[in-house]
Amino acid sequence: MSTSHTTLARAGEKHAIHLPTAAARTYLYAVVGNTGEEKYGEFGIDGSDVYSIPSGKVAAVVSNLAVERVRPERARLAAHQEVLKRLLVHTTPLPMSFGVLADSPQAIRKMLSRNQQMLLEQLRRVEGKVEMGLRISWDVPNIFEYFVITHEELRQARDQLLGGPREPTQEDKIEVGRLFDRLLNDDRQSHLELVDEILSRRDTEVMQLNCRSEREVLNVACLVKRESTPQFEADVFEVAKHFDNNFALNYNGPWAPHNFVEASVQF
């Protein structure tokens, strides 16, 4: 896994900041610790200048956009993530959800002042850490048939209720479906406990996320110390030893800690 080493432009470099016009609003990417006013460069949404607005011990990373609403178009989503990625090279930002707009820089300062304590607590929680993701999926042609092969209970129910000369009733199909769902979730829980036990050995915080499809075994986010990411990768390979060729594993990161930030800012 390669990590980008693109650096942020720092204060004092030649990046002009265009002050908001009457129609402009202030777009919020993230909150970071206050290191003074920063000018990062023209890589924000729609090519806008990215800069910081400090207040107290925190600062908001923002840019000025002359829009009433930021539509989630691919280029804009990519620009939002690019800002977070560049911030992550130097610090662990508190990432904001896509599309957060304030009326003005003054509104951002008021928000920072109003939410100062909560933001500081969140920054301390993720300081020096990054988020890594791990997904495991069943890599089989037909997941129901795979469970029939690997779970005798389901195989017997399938043969009894759905096999034979008579046409199965709707109730028969529902009963087999319920059993399949229960076994699916039981296996997911068992696999999650195994993965959590392995990854948590080195103080990695593991958070279970919703599975996005029937084939997904588990989807977890992991809060990892920045210097421990190589060890996290080694732990993932240790996890992989417990799964055969009927499973596919994929890990990704590092990311800003989206799933470990509970900051709901109030303007």
Side-chain angles (χ1 to χ4, degrees), residues 139-163:
D139 189 18
V140 294
N142 185 307
I143 190 169
F144 178 79
E145 290 301 324
Y146 171 76
F147 267 69
V148 166
I149 293 170
T150 56
H151 295 75
E152 183 178 356
E153 182 181 2
L154 182 61
R155 182 164 62 253
Q156 291 177 350
R158 189 275 311 266
D159 294 344
Q160 178 182 349
L161 298 174
L162 305 184

Side-chain angles (χ1 to χ4, degrees), residues 136-140 143 146-147 183-185 187-188 191 214-218 246-248:
I136 303 178
S137 302
W138 281 287
D139 189 18
V140 294
I143 190 169
Y146 171 76
F147 267 69
L183 294 172
L184 187 78
N185 290 322
D187 277 18
R188 282 174 172 157
H191 293 316
E214 187 177 64
R215 288 178 174 272
E216 201 158 75
V217 179
L218 60 81
N246 293 304
F247 297 86

Side-chain angles (χ1 to χ4, degrees), residues 151-196:
H151 295 75
E152 183 178 356
E153 182 181 2
L154 182 61
R155 182 164 62 253
Q156 291 177 350
R158 189 275 311 266
D159 294 344
Q160 178 182 349
L161 298 174
L162 305 184
R166 72 176 181 84
E167 184 71 20
T169 66
Q170 185 67 20
E171 289 75 16
D172 292 334
K173 295 176 182 178
I174 291 173
E175 185 174 344
V176 172
R178 285 174 178 165
L179 177 57
F180 170 62
D181 286 341
R182 177 173 66 78
L183 294 172
L184 187 78
N185 290 322
D186 286 349
D187 277 18
R188 282 174 172 157
Q189 183 61 34
S190 177
H191 293 316
L192 174 64
E193 290 171 1
L194 168 68
V195 170
D196 184 64

Side-chain angles (χ1 to χ4, degrees), residues 8 10 29-35 40 57-59 61 83-96 119-132 222-227 229 254-261:
L8 292 166
R10 313 306 280 174
Y29 299 94
V31 173
V32 297
N34 184 1
T35 57
Y40 297 120
K57 296 182 179 180
V58 298
V61 178
V83 172
L84 297 178
K85 184 174 75 172
R86 296 199 189 198
L87 289 171
L88 194 61
V89 174
H90 297 281
T91 187
T92 300
L94 298 183
M96 295 294 122
L119 294 170
L120 282 171
E121 290 173 358
Q122 293 291 310
L123 282 169
R124 292 189 192 105
R125 181 179 182 226
V126 300
E127 184 178 5
K129 299 178 180 180
V130 295
E131 181 173 318
M132 303 291 291
C222 304
L223 192 63
V224 181
K225 291 180 180 177
R226 188 183 291 265
E227 66 271 17
T229 51
W255 310 106
H258 293 271
N259 290 294
F260 297 91
V261 170

Side-chain angles (χ1 to χ4, degrees), residues 1-254:
M1 180 187 65
S2 61
T3 301
S4 171
H5 292 284
T6 306
T7 58
L8 292 166
R10 313 306 280 174
E13 295 189 7
K14 296 181 179 179
H15 291 286
I17 296 299
H18 304 303
L19 294 176
T21 64
R25 303 185 73 192
T26 308
Y27 183 89
L28 178 60
Y29 299 94
V31 173
V32 297
N34 184 1
T35 57
E37 293 185 355
E38 300 277 0
K39 302 176 183 179
Y40 297 120
E42 298 178 2
F43 51 82
I45 289 175
D46 298 343
S48 56
D49 293 308
V50 180
Y51 66 101
S52 70
I53 299 175
S55 177
K57 296 182 179 180
V58 298
V61 178
V62 304
S63 62
N64 303 321
L65 298 178
V67 295
E68 287 298 315
R69 177 174 174 268
V70 183
R71 298 185 181 277
E73 299 165 358
R74 180 177 297 181
R76 287 174 165 177
L77 289 166
H80 182 100
Q81 291 302 319
E82 179 66 16
V83 172
L84 297 178
K85 184 174 75 172
R86 296 199 189 198
L87 289 171
L88 194 61
V89 174
H90 297 281
T91 187
T92 300
L94 298 183
M96 295 294 122
S97 300
F98 178 87
V100 178
L101 277 168
D103 290 334
S104 65
Q106 290 73 25
I108 292 286
R109 289 191 183 92
K110 289 180 180 178
M111 179 277 293
L112 293 176
S113 177
R114 186 180 300 118
N115 298 276
Q116 186 94 183
Q117 188 58 39
M118 178 270 291
L119 294 170
L120 282 171
E121 290 173 358
Q122 293 291 310
L123 282 169
R124 292 189 192 105
R125 181 179 182 226
V126 300
E127 184 178 5
K129 299 178 180 180
V130 295
E131 181 173 318
M132 303 291 291
L134 172 64
R135 286 194 178 93
I136 303 178
S137 302
W138 281 287
D139 189 18
V140 294
N142 185 307
I143 190 169
F144 178 79
E145 290 301 324
Y146 171 76
F147 267 69
V148 166
I149 293 170
T150 56
H151 295 75
E152 183 178 356
E153 182 181 2
L154 182 61
R155 182 164 62 253
Q156 291 177 350
R158 189 275 311 266
D159 294 344
Q160 178 182 349
L161 298 174
L162 305 184
R166 72 176 181 84
E167 184 71 20
T169 66
Q170 185 67 20
E171 289 75 16
D172 292 334
K173 295 176 182 178
I174 291 173
E175 185 174 344
V176 172
R178 285 174 178 165
L179 177 57
F180 170 62
D181 286 341
R182 177 173 66 78
L183 294 172
L184 187 78
N185 290 322
D186 286 349
D187 277 18
R188 282 174 172 157
Q189 183 61 34
S190 177
H191 293 316
L192 174 64
E193 290 171 1
L194 168 68
V195 170
D196 184 64
E197 193 276 328
I198 293 174
L199 295 183
S200 299
R201 292 172 184 170
R202 304 175 206 280
D203 296 326
T204 295
E205 186 176 346
V206 179
M207 178 180 291
Q208 182 181 10
L209 306 178
N210 291 332
C211 291
R212 301 186 299 179
S213 71
E214 187 177 64
R215 288 178 174 272
E216 201 158 75
V217 179
L218 60 81
N219 177 18
V220 295
C222 304
L223 192 63
V224 181
K225 291 180 180 177
R226 188 183 291 265
E227 66 271 17
S228 298
T229 51
Q231 184 57 57
F232 173 83
E233 295 174 16
D235 289 342
V236 169
F237 284 104
E238 179 64 28
V239 167
K241 294 177 183 178
H242 296 267
F243 294 86
D244 60 25
N245 291 335
N246 293 304
F247 297 86
L249 281 77
N250 174 268
Y251 72 95
N252 54 77

